[in-house]
Amino acid sequence: MCMTDLLYARAQMGLSLAFHIVFAAAGVALPVLMVLSDLKHRRTKDADYRKLSEKLAKGTAILFAVGAVSGTVLSFELGLLWPEFMGRYGEVIGLPFSLEGVAFFTEAIFLGIYLYGRERVSPGLHLFSGGMVAVSGAASAFFVTLVNTFMNNPSGFTPTPAGPTDVQPLVAMFSPGWQYQTAHVLLSCYQASAFAMAGIHAFILLKHPGASFHRKALSIALPLACVTALAQPLVGDLSAKHVARAQPVKLAAMEAHFDTEAGAPLRVGGWPDVEKRTVSGSIDLPKGLSILAFADPDAEVKGLNEFPRDVWPPVAKVHLAFQVMVGTGSLMALLALATLWRRWRGREWPHGKGMMRAWLLSGPLGLVALEAGWLVTEWGRQPWIVRDVMRTGEAVTPVPHLAAPFFTFTAVYLFLGVTVLFVLWRQVAGTLPGKPGAVVDGEVAHVH
């Protein structure tokens, strides 16, 4: 029964995070797109860009509200589902949590000014408030990611049977690898949101090629989508190299690498058989893993067999999630390269049917990669909640019957998710040319 309750607690936390991360990512990225639209309006005096910034601000407000609700639920769940973790390590990681709260309130204040102060404050202050929304959203994600970095690479304290001693909050907040993990997370937020926005506008332009508003909106989304899609593999490579040094068992699970080898191959695809300790159906690239992990074709890479079986992550799930993340990221990078090539040759952002179909199909890939990357991080740390210090099973609440809150919250999240999607879709549908309330000749409004 204890194991069942542990699984229910993990499933509830996983569901809450998987739901929240979508709205958190949009809360980080949409303000950037909003400010870019505002800047474009100030430079060109084109009313379409002002309309776009207004609609992006409203979309930011909707998703900010939903993210605030789901984030509050997560805060309660940390204490209620994992009381041993918070009770023992709350003082160690309390600083980034506190700073995240400050960033959240700052974002809320400046979002209110931006939403309702366009004609009430000076243009400079209004633009500044939009910039502060973008900075605060990024800061909020930054501080929360620092907590996750600590859980993966704990530092800043001395572990004892009675709990942590000699606590150094700043050292704990900036645990090893913080720069790679925070950059990876922030880029994924901008990338996922920009690809989703580009996909929506590409869909509309396929139906209505002459909708100038949506073409201009696409011109705002595509630069951010392309830049982040090309930067992300570089940051991801640095992050993976850090994992190879600091968390070799996680790297071995990500790559389904069982035997320690010098000049280890990189396995593309495949399905690991944990009992037989083999991988079937993979394409092996000679010495590829040694090169990517240590920049040395003859470097030795530790395999899972080097570690006790009870500290292995769930190998099959980690490997699959990692392959999905890398695969979708590669597709997005290739599309970004093709788009930038056509932009350079044609001196305008491509809007032909072929490219629009490609962006439409790629619209969800950023969110897929975001969720897959989060699963790699969390599954890859198991069975630890604080790596090598506290196991997940030691942190869970002793309160029984955790199935009840799991199914209750599942129903609530499903209802909330469907409701939000319905509201956003109604807003999008109302912007299409020819619909009641839509403005013609480049004045079509669009809500994200």
Side-chain angles (χ1 to χ4, degrees), residues 145 148-149 152-153 176-185 187 231-247 250-251 254 292-293 322 325 373 376-377:
T145 305
N148 190 265
T149 304
N152 287 319
N153 299 287
W178 66 269
Q179 61 271 52
Y180 309 121
Q181 192 165 336
T182 53
H184 199 48
V185 166
L187 278 175
Q232 188 66 285
L234 302 177
V235 175
D237 178 67
L238 294 173
S239 181
K241 283 180 168 60
H242 173 75
V243 170
R245 298 189 302 270
Q247 298 175 268
K250 177 187 282 190
L251 177 73
M254 288 159 54
L292 289 177
F322 182 69
M325 180 187 70
V376 170
T377 299

Side-chain angles (χ1 to χ4, degrees), residues 8 12 401-409:
Y8 274 124
Q12 182 175 334
H401 311 303
L402 295 183
F406 169 74
F407 288 112
T408 300
F409 276 97

Side-chain angles (χ1 to χ4, degrees), residues 204-219:
I204 296 174
L205 287 170
L206 283 170
K207 299 286 186 180
H208 307 280
S212 62
F213 173 88
H214 296 284
R215 185 172 296 178
K216 293 169 186 175
L218 189 66
S219 73

